[in-house]
Amino acid sequence: MAILLQAKDRLLSRLKSLTKIQLKQRFNHTLEPQMCREMCSDSFNQEVDVSNWKTVDSRNLGITRAMIPQPSWVVLKILKSQGFQAYLVGGCVRDLLLRRVPKDFDVITTANLKQIRRQFHRSEIIGRRFPICRVHIKGSVIEVSSFETVAKHGEGKEMVLLSQIPYGCDEIDLVRWRNSIHRDFTINSLFFDPFLNKIYDYANGISDLRCLKLRTLIPAYLSFTEDCARILRGLRIAARLGLSFCKDIDTAMHSLSSSIERLDKSRIMMELNYMLSYGAAESSICLLRRYNLLKILLPFHAAYLDQQAGKITAENPMMLMRLFFNLDKLVSCDRPADYTLWVGLLSFHQALVSDPQDAFVVWVFASVLYHGKWKEGVKFARDRAKEPVKFVPEISGFSEIESDEQLAVKVTELALSVQDCVNDLTKASSGYVFVSKKIERNVQQIFDVLVNSIESYNSGKRSHIIDYDMLGKGNLVETRFVLGKIILKTISGGLVAGEEEIDEEEMPEVLDKDSVENYLAKKNRKRGLQPSSAELKLKTAKKCKWTEKFSSINHELSMNKEDVVPKEEVEEIHKAVKNCQLPDKELKVRTTEKHKWIENSCHFDQELSINEELVQKEGSQQLGEETQKAAKTCQSPEEEIKVNPEKILEKKDRHSLSTEGTNKKRDKQKRADNKKKNGLLLSSLFKEK
């Protein structure tokens, strides 16, 4: 009995403890939303000022529908044709206002996700918390979101806000405003309607862009608590666009920096890839270090930067920052790299810091990656590696190794060390692990060629031009080439083989279609980019079209004589065809007219050739009268062309009985004068016609 009582007491005590825990958890769970609502109500205790809502003509800001890529424009038109409202939203509107090339063009519409998917054959809905519809069209992927999705997730936040909106607001304005308050930053809350050429601004986003200021729509602490990924996104946008933080954001980032550890590793990897692969790696590293995020993500490199912070001089720069500086010069938002490139750079630098190498070994290591051949790489390194490399502690010194066998061993050891450092990024000891095993294998494959049969390595790459399509897809050959180029530029401090120093041209002030296309074409030519296959096909088709028209007109004009078609008119036609000024219809009419004149000239040539014989026998006076009569009628009657053979024989006999003292020179001169007179008569007649 005593045992039963003891067991009962233990059970009751356990139930009491569990009840206390459950009550505590329930209390905390209910308290958290209440605190959020209080913070939200305190933050929006003032009425929403509708006078700050702005509608701006996009053409006054240099933005037109011609600047929208064809795939995005097709998606917008299809949604609009089905009766839905559709807008461009977010970063693309921001970048167009800043005269930058957008990374992508996101669309938002009043249709729900199922309605969106029904409009397109190749589309799928992805995402759990904030689902979107991905539309595959014309070789591109367009992300389309719905106003309805955001509205469902924001009902709690709008409890206070909706009661403060004055009556009489337009319904579609209210829909856009409700969506804008759920955006991360004011500069990302702009809507662009390309059908009406209107930009809708509900949070002074255009004003913040002019001031180059980053500001949240709600208090920064609350915004980053709701979604801590906004911290990384804010750093990325500020690094790429050179924006400054308001005091509210600066304080919240310092306080909530550790909250990013709650993010999924794939989300961390995505945000870091946006930072380091799109032309803003150096400034992104600086901002990550400033807000103590680099210690969480890359503790080894954070410690290196802290150690070198007091030793930076013009003669002794930090190698890590120089590597990312040269990376930024090769990639951009419209020509990004794959994540394997910057992960490979981090691993290469970590290997040098852990085990400093001879400068000549680093030269050969980078040169072989760049040239794609062992012998060419070694020869290039021996010719160029003359000046000392001033990077401490990465470079231990310089000693030119004479034996290629010893050199191959040293380079292989460095490649193995880099692969080990890639492996370290996947271990918990390296801080927050965001590099997956799959990424590790892909990066290690870059250096496999320097480990296995290095002396027989041949990449097969034939030029020093970067193929950005292949680089963005993570092609191993292209990634090795660019990685070697970055390292060579870093240790040499200048140019490498096959390139020239070119200053980047600034974006044109007025962003119309022609200026943007010219800017991108010049930018691609400077980077050594080849035109896309679509551009080549279009250009070739246009060239073939005008070549056919030009050759046909040339053929017809070649049949004509100089005295029939004036030289000035021929040159005018040639010039018009080359400049593509004549429409097809006009060309056809003019060609037909020229063909008629050619036929007439042929008739007159036949007539003149027959009448020449009559001139010799009968005299020039009768021939001149007949020629004038034929010229007035502009015809060649059969009775004038066909000559009676008996009459011709009679005239020949009469000519043979003429006196021998006839002056042949005088007859020849008369024939020449008559021929010239007839030619002038015909040409004047054509001009009048």
Side-chain angles (χ1 to χ4, degrees):
M1 190 70 179
I3 296 173
L4 290 173
L5 290 173
Q6 290 178 0
K8 185 178 179 181
D9 293 336
R10 289 177 186 174
L11 181 61
L12 289 172
S13 62
R14 245 182 225 186
L15 288 172
K16 287 180 181 180
S17 61
L18 286 172
T19 305
K20 289 180 180 179
I21 293 172
Q22 289 174 351
L23 287 173
K24 185 177 181 181
Q25 290 176 348
R26 180 68 179 272
F27 175 76
N28 291 337
H29 180 71
T30 55
L31 180 63
E32 197 170 343
Q34 183 180 354
M35 291 175 61
C36 289
R37 283 195 295 270
E38 289 176 359
M39 291 177 65
C40 190
S41 60
D42 291 341
S43 305
F44 291 95
N45 51 10
Q46 298 179 353
E47 289 189 0
V48 178
D49 190 359
V50 182
S51 62
N52 289 331
W53 295 5
K54 299 180 180 64
T55 302
V56 184
D57 192 327
S58 63
R59 292 167 293 189
N60 296 336
L61 300 175
I63 302 177
T64 63
R65 70 179 64 177
M67 300 165 63
I68 303 174
Q70 188 65 18
S72 302
W73 179 243
V74 170
V75 171
L76 289 165
K77 285 179 66 177
I78 291 175
L79 292 171
K80 186 75 172 178
S81 65
Q82 297 301 317
F84 303 111
Q85 296 291 328
Y87 309 90
L88 291 175
V89 67
C92 62
V93 186
R94 174 200 69 210
D95 289 344
L96 289 174
L97 286 171
L98 291 175
R99 296 181 174 85
R100 289 177 174 267
V101 180
K103 178 174 65 70
D104 46 30
F105 287 77
D106 295 334
V107 176
I108 190 167
T109 177
T110 52
N112 59 46
L113 294 178
K114 292 182 179 179
Q115 290 172 328
I116 297 170
R117 188 172 58 183
R118 282 197 293 267
Q119 306 304 321
F120 305 97
H121 296 293
R122 298 181 58 203
S123 60
E124 72 272 0
I125 298 174
I126 62 170
R128 294 181 181 178
R129 187 179 177 191
F130 293 102
I132 61 171
C133 186
R134 297 183 65 185
V135 178
H136 300 262
I137 186 167
K138 294 184 179 295
S140 301
V141 179
I142 310 299
E143 294 186 354
V144 185
S145 58
S146 172
F147 284 108
E148 183 182 276
T149 302
V150 180
K152 288 180 179 178
H153 289 82
E155 293 175 355
K157 188 191 296 184
E158 294 168 3
M159 291 173 61
V160 179
L161 298 176
L162 292 177
S163 62
Q164 298 171 359
I165 300 175
Y167 291 104
C169 290
D170 184 63
E171 182 179 352
I172 190 62
D173 260 332
L174 189 59
V175 170
R176 289 190 294 258
W177 173 80
R178 290 178 63 187
N179 184 271
S180 70
I181 64 174
H182 295 286
R183 300 270 163 187
D184 47 8
F185 303 104
T186 57
I187 59 176
N188 290 340
S189 64
L190 303 171
F191 300 88
F192 173 36
D193 186 347
F195 303 99
L196 300 177
N197 292 308
K198 299 293 184 183
I199 294 179
Y200 302 97
D201 181 9
Y202 300 97
N204 288 325
I206 296 177
S207 176
D208 289 340
L209 274 178
R210 287 172 178 163
C211 300
L212 295 178
K213 182 192 298 183
L214 193 68
R215 188 168 58 86
T216 54
L217 285 103
I218 60 177
Y221 194 94
L222 179 61
S223 178
F224 297 157
T225 302
E226 287 182 350
D227 185 4
C228 57
R230 290 176 177 174
I231 298 175
L232 295 175
R233 199 179 308 131
L235 294 176
R236 165 166 56 90
I237 295 171
R240 190 166 74 86
L241 304 179
L243 305 180
S244 61
F245 294 131
C246 63
K247 187 177 180 181
D248 188 25
I249 290 181
D250 185 77
T251 304
M253 281 188 175
H254 278 294
S255 302
L256 301 173
S257 59
S258 60
S259 63
I260 66 167
E261 296 184 27
R262 299 199 302 264
L263 290 174
D264 186 72
K265 62 173 64 176
S266 61
R267 181 66 183 274
I268 292 278
M269 189 68 190
M270 183 186 72
E271 291 293 343
L272 279 180
N273 189 53
Y274 285 150
M275 287 184 182
L276 305 180
S277 293
Y278 286 76
E282 185 185 19
S283 53
S284 296
I285 291 289
C286 292
L287 287 176
L288 288 171
R289 178 171 175 261
R290 174 182 171 185
Y291 290 99
N292 300 319
L293 293 168
L294 199 63
K295 291 181 179 179
I296 300 172
L297 301 173
L298 299 168
F300 181 91
H301 298 88
Y304 162 82
L305 292 176
D306 291 340
Q307 184 182 5
Q308 297 292 315
K311 303 177 183 179
I312 302 174
T313 61
E315 295 78 16
N316 185 28
M318 283 193 289
M319 187 175 187
L320 178 65
M321 304 310 291
R322 295 300 298 177
L323 287 170
F324 282 108
F325 170 78
N326 288 313
L327 171 63
D328 291 341
K329 292 177 70 175
L330 298 179
V331 299
S332 66
C333 193
D334 57 322
R335 290 290 187 270
D338 186 64
Y339 63 85
T340 52
L341 183 58
W342 59 265
V343 174
L345 278 175
L346 288 173
S347 303
F348 166 76
H349 179 262
Q350 183 173 336
L352 291 184
V353 175
S354 303
D355 184 15
Q357 296 289 322
D358 185 89
F360 187 64
V361 174
V362 179
W363 266 96
V364 176
F365 177 90
S367 183
V368 172
L369 290 175
Y370 177 74
H371 289 89
K373 295 180 181 178
W374 168 255
K375 291 184 178 180
E376 288 188 14
V378 173
K379 183 179 182 301
F380 178 84
R382 292 191 186 281
D383 294 340
R384 300 295 182 93
K386 304 298 182 183
E387 297 182 3
V389 180
K390 299 179 181 179
F391 287 116
V392 179
E394 294 88 352
I395 304 300
S396 60
F398 182 85
S399 59
E400 189 170 353
I401 303 172
E402 297 182 358
S403 172
D404 286 358
E405 289 77 11
Q406 295 179 357
L407 194 58
V409 172
K410 292 286 186 182
V411 172
T412 300
E413 289 176 354
L414 177 56
L416 287 170
S417 179
V418 174
Q419 288 183 333
D420 291 339
C421 292
V422 176
N423 185 36
D424 290 342
L425 292 175
T426 63
K427 296 179 180 179
S429 58
S430 63
Y432 180 79
V433 178
F434 60 89
V435 178
S436 65
K437 289 292 183 180
K438 181 181 178 181
I439 296 174
E440 176 195 358
R441 288 193 299 271
N442 293 340
V443 177
Q444 286 182 340
Q445 287 178 0
I446 298 174
F447 308 99
D448 281 344
V449 295
L450 302 180
V451 176
N452 306 320
S453 62
I454 182 175
E455 296 184 3
S456 61
Y457 170 56
N458 186 350
S459 67
K461 187 174 176 64
R462 298 181 179 179
S463 68
H464 296 295
I465 299 174
I466 300 176
D467 187 338
Y468 281 92
D469 289 336
M470 301 305 292
L471 181 65
K473 295 175 182 177
N475 179 268
L476 288 176
V477 173
E478 208 63 37
T479 304
R480 291 186 190 112
F481 168 73
V482 177
L483 182 63
K485 185 171 186 174
I486 292 170
I487 298 172
L488 284 176
K489 289 174 72 71
T490 301
I491 60 178
S492 65
L495 303 176
V496 297
E499 69 171 13
E500 298 178 358
E501 190 68 46
I502 301 175
D503 294 331
E504 290 292 334
E505 183 178 325
E506 293 183 357
M507 192 76 169
E509 292 185 2
V510 180
L511 280 177
D512 56 12
K513 184 179 181 181
D514 294 334
S515 62
V516 171
E517 288 181 351
N518 292 335
Y519 165 75
L520 292 177
K522 289 179 182 179
K523 193 174 182 181
N524 291 345
R525 285 198 297 270
K526 290 179 179 181
R527 291 183 173 183
L529 296 178
Q530 300 296 331
S532 64
S533 58
E535 291 174 347
L536 285 173
K537 287 180 181 179
L538 182 61
K539 190 175 181 180
T540 306
K542 287 182 178 179
K543 187 175 180 181
C544 292
K545 179 181 177 182
W546 287 111
T547 302
E548 290 175 4
K549 292 182 179 180
F550 184 73
S551 60
S552 63
I553 292 176
N554 258 349
H555 176 67
E556 294 180 5
L557 290 177
S558 64
M559 297 171 60
N560 203 1
K561 305 242 176 168
E562 291 186 2
D563 58 341
V564 177
V565 182
K567 184 178 179 181
E568 295 79 7
E569 193 169 358
V570 175
E571 291 177 354
E572 188 176 80
I573 294 173
H574 278 262
K575 185 177 179 181
V577 173
K578 287 181 179 178
N579 295 334
C580 305
Q581 293 174 350
L582 294 178
D584 295 347
K585 186 175 180 181
E586 188 177 348
L587 278 173
K588 188 175 180 181
V589 171
R590 295 194 63 171
T591 304
T592 306
E593 291 177 358
K594 294 299 174 185
H595 189 66
K596 290 180 180 179
W597 287 114
I598 291 167
E599 290 179 353
N600 289 337
S601 67
C602 293
H603 285 301
F604 281 110
D605 283 345
Q606 292 177 5
E607 186 177 347
L608 288 174
S609 64
I610 294 173
N611 287 338
E612 273 188 28
E613 297 181 3
L614 298 178
V615 170
Q616 295 177 3
K617 280 75 176 180
E618 202 171 68
S620 61
Q621 184 176 2
Q622 183 180 355
L623 176 64
E625 293 175 358
E626 292 176 356
T627 306
Q628 290 178 6
K629 182 179 179 181
K632 287 179 181 179
T633 58
C634 290
Q635 295 177 354
S636 300
E638 294 182 359
E639 53 270 13
E640 290 183 8
I641 295 176
K642 294 180 180 179
V643 182
N644 192 348
E646 295 180 0
K647 188 176 182 180
I648 293 175
L649 291 173
E650 183 181 353
K651 290 179 180 179
K652 281 186 177 180
D653 295 335
R654 193 189 309 165
H655 181 68
S656 63
L657 296 174
S658 61
T659 58
E660 295 180 359
T662 305
N663 193 345
K664 295 182 179 180
K665 291 184 179 180
R666 187 179 60 185
D667 294 337
K668 187 177 181 179
Q669 183 67 31
K670 285 183 179 181
R671 288 196 300 271
D673 293 339
N674 286 331
K675 186 175 181 180
K676 184 177 181 181
K677 183 179 179 181
N678 293 334
L680 293 173
L681 181 62
L682 291 174
S683 62
S684 63
L685 180 62
F686 287 149
K687 288 181 181 179
E688 292 175 0
K689 200 74 176 176

